[in-house]
Amino acid sequence: VHGGTFYPLPLPQHMFSLHTRPSFLGSRILLFASAVCFADSYQRIFSTQGSAIKWPALFVPHGGGPLPILGDPAHESLTKYLREAAKDIPPPTAIVVVSAHWEAAQPTITSHPTPPLIYDYSGFPEESYRLQYPAPGHPQLASRVKMLIDSHLSGIPEYSGIKARLDSSRGFDHGMFVPLMLMYPEANIPCVQLSLVKGMSPKLHIEMGKAIESLREEGVLIFASGLSFHNMEAFFTENRLTLPKSIQFDDWLHKTCQLPSASDRIEQLANWTQAPQARFCHPREEHLIPLHVVAGASANDPCEVVYNDVLLGTKVSALRFGLI
């Protein structure tokens, strides 16, 4: 979503930079520090096996471009939620992010040790292109995600020919850094991004979630960033029916994700186009499909609606599986 009135909020200094490229020495220091962080976090991830804690799988609305960060009044409620969303989640050792803003021909995982930011929006104030979120990548975790997806899909005839791949050059898009700047402003948790797959098969993305579900027992937060309503024309057209239609779909989403049976939940989500007002709320489904990955990773864990409010004249929600 592009547009709005801007009221900049004070942010930690590391989130802004006048220089987008560090010096040669500075880059080497960053690489060394990241390597130490990788080794430590990787050890911590696998040392938590057997822990009684199972980290949640979380789907959040990321709002319009950088507006939640810039203090746009229409995003005040969402910004408040994102600032508080991590308070009742044990600090994760790493985060696997599924963003609505990355699609690839096959499941693809970022493996850059110090990923740059991708400012994949336009028409915003200058400061939105100087935002910084220097969270380290995690090449080892990226390789593990690839292995888990390949192993899981190989056992499903329909998807056995699909192989995940690593991308060592791609950075983090705004679907990742905007919500995480608010949730984890210290930028000290290693992150990898997992792409959506072109074609937007709901079943495939559910299976991708199933493949990485075990990471939740190893300290990893499965984090999906999208919007439960995403109709660009409706955002910018006044229509008294838009809000009621969005509520119909939102209510269906709540009931579906809170079904006690994981198999029933997954079946309903796989057939999401049959939901009330489905195609009005999602003419194209890239902002909904990250939820399917999270639902796949949820196993039989219960779902809680942790945020539900009106954004830009439409009803949107955040959903958390586990840790209830």
Side-chain angles (χ1 to χ4, degrees), residues 34-64:
S34 297
V36 173
C37 182
F38 300 153
D40 176 65
S41 61
Y42 191 68
Q43 181 180 14
R44 284 185 290 129
I45 285 173
F46 295 106
S47 67
T48 57
Q49 288 184 343
S51 167
I53 295 176
K54 185 177 182 181
W55 270 254
L58 178 65
F59 172 82
V60 304
H62 60 233

Side-chain angles (χ1 to χ4, degrees), residues 134-151:
H138 201 320
Q140 296 97 327
L141 178 59
S143 295
R144 179 155 165 75
V145 170
K146 174 184 172 1
M147 181 271 291
L148 288 170
I149 290 175
D150 286 346
S151 176

Side-chain angles (χ1 to χ4, degrees), residues 16-40:
F16 290 93
S17 174
L18 294 175
H19 306 285
T20 58
R21 300 174 64 181
S23 67
F24 178 83
L25 177 59
S27 65
R28 293 301 180 270
I29 293 172
L30 280 173
L31 283 171
F32 176 76
S34 297
V36 173
C37 182
F38 300 153
D40 176 65

Side-chain angles (χ1 to χ4, degrees), residues 233-311:
E233 182 179 355
F235 280 139
F236 297 108
T237 304
E238 286 194 22
N239 186 329
R240 62 182 180 83
L241 297 178
T242 295
L243 180 58
K245 286 181 177 181
S246 71
I247 291 173
Q248 288 183 54
F249 183 78
D250 205 55
D251 286 347
W252 174 87
L253 207 58
H254 295 176
K255 292 175 183 176
T256 297
C257 289
Q258 293 182 313
L259 287 170
S261 165
S263 59
D264 290 344
R265 176 193 305 169
I266 294 242
E267 181 180 358
Q268 292 290 319
L269 286 172
N271 295 287
W272 72 272
T273 56
Q274 304 305 310
Q277 307 299 334
R279 278 302 180 190
F280 175 78
C281 295
H282 292 279
R284 190 173 186 275
E285 56 265 44
E286 80 287 346
H287 276 71
L288 178 67
I289 291 296
L291 172 62
H292 289 68
V293 180
V294 161
S298 70
N300 283 307
D301 290 337
C303 173
E304 180 180 3
V305 179
V306 289
Y307 174 77
N308 182 237
D309 209 342
V310 175
L311 175 68

Side-chain angles (χ1 to χ4, degrees), residues 15 72 75 104 184 214 223 252 307 311 314:
M15 291 185 175
D72 173 48
H75 285 70
Y184 298 105
S214 63
F223 181 82
W252 174 87
Y307 174 77
L311 175 68
T314 68

